[in-house]
């Protein structure tokens, strides 16, 4: 078998696996639905998430350990992930092949020349890693505070060690040593100056914005599956809606189309994961290259070189995605995958200047604190950003969410959506709840999103914890927000019209919505009695509509007698129900009132969990008369509303 | 340029004719297409959806006005006894009949919370239907929460499938724009009619539940689950709409499961504290009488539920259930 056949099989396998996982991320009992299928496995294999999370939280959550394996293998094999596993890489490659049809060899070779802009992806990588690095710095600052001796001692030892190594000429580059020593000393002083709670230490995890696996999941979860499944109805009986998916879909399409013109455009210029692999493959034990003499410079190897790494000349090891096309195409048996550097020379480290590195890192380190000046994770928090149950407090959440959209995919009621800029730039495409959309609010006894989240941005919660039962009885239910009645829009409050759909649907027990009864005189509801016989009052009017007051909600009041239900109404008369009995009966010429019985809703802040079922069901459609905001949410204790 | 006359190619006659034909065809074709799609008036103001044919009447005239009340804790036994008192299910279902069970699967809550039709009742009813010779049994509802989750979590879906019935989910294509004959509220409204058109018999299976707005959710209120669209707007006239729904559905039989009743916090419940063992199974063809018994289980009188009187006045049954009751054997 040709080696590239093996590669193609591997790529097809992982694309199919990816599609399968997207399918299986459906809540249900059927064999193909979410029943322990490792639907996050590809996200977990992706070491960019692992690295970002580690920097942002100094932990590796659950399956994120898989990323370590990928990274370790990259040190040995090179960028095998890009060429053999990454489903987005496979799609790009497919598009590239389509785009190359009919081109002359020279044109093909031209498409695969290395391009100066390929450094951009390394810049993006360093930028997002630096954005996330604050927690690590925090860690260092607090350990320097706890044991200054160890910290300064270690630093001094490092400096002395470097100087000694240099003095004995075990290492040579004088400038490099000077730079490192200077960096160590300024770093140490900086850390000493920072306080652990300093605003410089804000971590923001943005690896997911451009990470190809997160991008694939997000695009397929929120765009492809809803489109494909709308007629098939396999994963969802009702068509899914994701506000904001337009941008996500357009970006996906854009990158695919770009790779028609430039093979693997995304991998070459944008992909921060590829950049990470590129940096690590510098030391890889096996590498592509020319085995010895024999190269005739026919450039066959460059016709289909996916990484644009110029295998015929000085091969760029960090760009090589191990597509192995060069191996396959070389007619002279020169190209190989072996332990020695290429006979034609190789450049192992990426084309990256020191200035570029410094700029990317500095931008990242400054980026997170600057974004926090917006205040959207702090004082200027947006109350309409409601995060799923299980979400960590906003800053911790932003340090973990990779915007993969798994929670939005799994949500059985389609109520979790990718945020736009509501939660600030940092929260782009992170999950938020929109109760107007979806098949109902956030289902009371469902914790699916918290289990599917690969990074614990939504930490796994049990139904008991969510409901505040059993072991969690003391802490009460988890609240994601709280409902407020808009009395200017609510039918019973503003329009003398009975309703309380919200109360009916409130799923907690006792209900968080309760009502107070009010009998209100209807508009123009004061009538003079003409005659009164039995239970029937004939009025001095003929303007009533037939059955106008016979809906069961209208009552009649005479003087200070209790309201009596109206059983039937005619154009000039009212027939009253038998109960309650009146002690007096109106005389001709006396006034009676027609009342409507209203139950007006109130929200009990100690019971409301913010599930949004009321908001979803409220018949005031445009802007609901009862709306949930993130007020009183459990995850941010500072948003607490009432004392009891 | 001086000295050079440009050479102008003379088209051959044949080429000219070909061009002429093409251009004429193009001109005529464009004109014809334009005329064919010409809209002289613009859109008319109201596009009224046509309403579909009346639904079948599933009642059996010879079985009208019956009611059986059985006390006991075991749903299988009480159901069988109640149906026996009505003359046996065989009297209602002919061999080969397709039967539709309209359950209450409104909320995605587990069966023990009593907010939905109990799966045991569904299982027993399906078995009895199949024993009576039913050719096919369907189970449907248009729940309030997410339909798929509701059928799974309430246990109704799995129970139905195990017992050999089909779960009919309320997908969009199963609704029609419907006007109830003589209706005032249900006019050109999306109603879950298709499942009803595909069957010969319709049976309602409802639990007994508290309901703040209407007083109680029983068998007549259960037909709310046939409505689609933004049906919540009907809460403004809840009693009238329940009455209309009872006129719309015209079931073969209704079963009211008062084995446990949701006394408070209805219709969602959410806690075992909201439930009470009332150990009663009611079956009948007079839904008003059946629901009057249910009201009693909740400690409510007929006057607390105006829709009972309204339905009785519309000729749907009697609130005086003792006049039709088949006695109340206890198990
Ligand atoms: S919160 Fe949602 S989008 Fe963010 S990482 Fe978790 S599952 Fe992915
Ligand atoms: S559902 Fe909406 S309109 Fe109706 S009572 Fe509640 S808040 Fe008011």
């Amino acid at each position: 078998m040709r080696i590239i056949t093996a590669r193609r099989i591997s790529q097809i396998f992982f694309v199919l696996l990816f599609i399968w996982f997207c399918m299986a991320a459906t809540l249900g009992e059927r064999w193909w639905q979410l029943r322990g299928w490792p639907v996050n496995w590809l996200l977990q294999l992706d070491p960019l998430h692992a690295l970002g999370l580690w920097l942002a939280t100094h932990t590796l959550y659950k399956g994120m350990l898989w990323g370590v394996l990928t990274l370790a293998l990259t040190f040995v094999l090179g960028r095998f992930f890009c060429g053999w596993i990454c489903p987005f890489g496979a799609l790009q490659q497919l598009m590239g092949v389509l785009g190359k049809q009919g081109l002359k060899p020279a044109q093909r070779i031209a498409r695969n020349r290395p391009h100066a802009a390929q450094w951009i992806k390394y810049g993006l990588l360093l930028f997002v890693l630096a954005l996330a690095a604050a927690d690590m710095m925090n860690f260092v600052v607090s350990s320097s505070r706890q044991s200054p001796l160890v910290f300064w001692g270690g630093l001094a030892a490092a400096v002395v060690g470097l100087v000694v190594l240099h003095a004995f000429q075990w290492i040579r580059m004088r400038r490099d040593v000077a730079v490192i020593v200077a960096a160590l000393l300024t770093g140490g002083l900086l850390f000493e100056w920072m306080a652990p709670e300093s605003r410089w230490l804000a971590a923001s995890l943005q690896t997911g914005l451009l990470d190809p696996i997160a991008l694939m999941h997000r695009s397929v979860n929120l765009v492809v599956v809803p489109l494909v499944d709308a007629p098939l109805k396999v994963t969802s009986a009702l068509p899914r809606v994701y506000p904001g998916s337009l941008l996500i879909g357009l970006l996906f399409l854009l990158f695919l189309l770009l790779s028609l013109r430039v093979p693997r455009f995304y991998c070459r210029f944008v992909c921060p994961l590829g950049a990470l692999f590129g940096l690590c493959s510098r030391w890889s034990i096996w590498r592509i290259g020319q085995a010895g003499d024999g190269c005739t410079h026919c450039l066959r190897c460059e016709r289909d070189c996916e990484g644009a790494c110029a295998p015929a000349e000085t091969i760029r090891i960090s760009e090589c995605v191990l597509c192995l096309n060069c191996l396959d195409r070389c007619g002279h048996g020169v190209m190989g995958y072996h332990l020695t550097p290429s006979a034609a020379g190789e450049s192992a480290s990426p084309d990256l200047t020191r200035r570029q590195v410094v700029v990317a890192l500095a931008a990242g380190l400054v980026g997170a604190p600057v974004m926090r000046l917006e205040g959207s994770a702090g004082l200027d928090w947006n109350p309409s950003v409601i995060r799923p149950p299980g979400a960590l407090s906003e800053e911790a959440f932003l340090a973990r969410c990779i915007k993969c959209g798994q929670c939005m995919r799994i949500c059985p009621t389609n109520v979790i959506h990718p945020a736009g800029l509501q939660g600030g730039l940092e929260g782009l495409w992170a999950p938020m709840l929109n109760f107007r959309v979806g098949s109902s609010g956030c289902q009371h006894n469902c914790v699916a999103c918290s289990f599917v989240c690969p990074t614990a941005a939504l930490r796994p919660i049990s139904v008991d914890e969510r409901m505040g039962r059993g072991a969690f009885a003391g802490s009460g239910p988890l609240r994601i927000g709280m409902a407020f009645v808009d009395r200017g829009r609510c039918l019973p409050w503003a329009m003398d019209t009975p309703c309380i759909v919200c109360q009916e649907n409130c799923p907690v027990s006792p209900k968080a919505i309760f009502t107070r009864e009010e009998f209100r005189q209807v508009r123009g509801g004061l009538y003079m009695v003409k005659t009164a016989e039995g239970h029937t009052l004939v009025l001095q009017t003929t303007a009533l509509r037939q059955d106008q007051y016979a809906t069961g909600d209208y009552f009649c009041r005479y003087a200070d007698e209790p309201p009596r239900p109206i059983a039937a109404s005619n154009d000039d008369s009212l027939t009253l129900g038998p109960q309650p009995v009146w002690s007096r009966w109106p005389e001709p010429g006396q006034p009676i009132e027609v009342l409507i019985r209203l139950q007006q809703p109130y929200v009990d802040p100690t019971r409301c969990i913010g599930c949004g079922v009321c908001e979803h069901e409220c018949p005031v459609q445009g802007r609901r008369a009862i709306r949930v905001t993130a007020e009183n949410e459990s995850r941010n204790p500072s948003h607490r509303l009432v004392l009891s | 340029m001086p000295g050079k006359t440009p050479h102008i190619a003379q088209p051959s006659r044949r080429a000219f004719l070909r061009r002429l034909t093409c251009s004429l065809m193009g001109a005529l074709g464009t004109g014809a297409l334009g005329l064919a799609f010409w809209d002289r008036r613009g859109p008319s103001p109201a596009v009224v959806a046509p309403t579909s044919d009346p639904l079948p009447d599933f009642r059996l005239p010879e079985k009208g006005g019956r009611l059986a009340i059985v006390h006991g804790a075991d749903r299988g036994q009480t159901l069988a006894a109640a149906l026996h008192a009505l003359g046996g299910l065989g009297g209602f279902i002919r061999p080969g009949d397709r039967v539709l069970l309209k359950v209450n699967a409104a909320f995605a809550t587990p069966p023990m919370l009593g907010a939905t039709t109990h799966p045991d009742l569904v299982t027993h009813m399906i078995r009895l239907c199949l024993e009576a010779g039913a050719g096919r049994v369907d189970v449907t509802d248009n729940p309030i929460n997410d339909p798929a989750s509701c059928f799974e979590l309430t246990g109704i879906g799995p129970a139905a499938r195990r017992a050999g019935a089909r779960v009919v989910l309320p997908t969009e294509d199963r609704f029609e724009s419907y006007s109830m004959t003589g209706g005032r509220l249900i006019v050109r409204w999306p109603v879950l009619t298709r499942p009803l058109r595909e069957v010969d018999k319709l049976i309602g299976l409802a639990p007994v539940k508290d309901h703040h707005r209407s007083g109680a959710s029983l068998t007549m209120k259960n037909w709310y689950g046939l409505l689609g669209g933004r049906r919540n707007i009907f809460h403004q006239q809840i009693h009238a709409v329940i009455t209309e729904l009872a006129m719309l559905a015209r079931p073969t039989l209704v079963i009211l499961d008062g084995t446990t009743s949701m006394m408070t916090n209805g219709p969602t419940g959410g806690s075992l504290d909201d439930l009470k063992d009332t150990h009663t199974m009611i079956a009948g063809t007079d839904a008003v009488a059946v629901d009057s018994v249910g009201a009693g289980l909740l400690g409510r009188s007929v006057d607390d539920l105006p829709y009972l009187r309204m339905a009785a006045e519309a000729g749907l049954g009697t609130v005086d259930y003792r006049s039709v009751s088949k006695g109340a054997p206890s198990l």
Side-chain angles (χ1 to χ4, degrees), chain B residues 280-303:
Chain B
T280 308
M281 186 70 71
I282 308 137
T285 53
D286 179 338
V288 183
V290 170
D291 284 5
S292 303
V293 183
L297 294 180
L298 292 172
R300 270 156 231 184
S301 78
V302 173
D303 291 316

Side-chain angles (χ1 to χ4, degrees), chain A residues 208-250:
Chain A
L209 277 183
L210 290 174
D211 176 90
I213 308 295
L215 180 140
M216 273 292 268
H217 274 92
R218 185 169 61 230
S219 310
V220 172
N221 282 343
L222 307 184
V223 181
V224 182
V225 170
L227 282 179
V228 174
D229 197 45
L232 301 178
K233 299 194 177 78
V234 177
T235 63
S236 166
L238 302 170
R240 293 235 155 188
V241 172
Y242 293 104
S245 52
L246 181 65
L247 178 65
I248 293 167
L250 281 180

Side-chain angles (χ1 to χ4, degrees), chain A residues 401-407 431 453-455 457-458:
Chain A
C401 177
I402 56 172
K403 309 149 194 288
C404 61
Q406 293 288 77
C407 50
C453 178
T455 66
L458 317 175

Side-chain angles (χ1 to χ4, degrees), chain B residues 229-248:
Chain B
R230 296 302 302 192
R231 57 185 174 189
N232 286 340
I233 198 169
F234 291 128
H235 270 55
Q236 295 169 21
Q237 297 199 8
I238 193 97
H239 303 295
V241 83
I242 293 176
T243 310
E244 281 195 12
L245 280 167
M247 292 157 72
L248 174 141

Side-chain angles (χ1 to χ4, degrees), chain A residues 4-22 37-38 41-42 45 83-88 90-91 216:
Chain A
I4 62 165
T5 312
R7 187 206 71 221
R8 284 186 191 139
I9 292 176
S10 166
Q11 285 179 301
I12 293 173
F13 171 77
F14 279 100
V15 167
L16 292 180
L17 193 72
F18 169 80
I19 296 174
W20 164 246
F21 284 158
C22 285
W37 295 107
W41 188 55
L42 289 170
L45 269 185
W84 292 62
I85 295 183
C86 179
F88 197 43
L91 286 191
M216 273 292 268

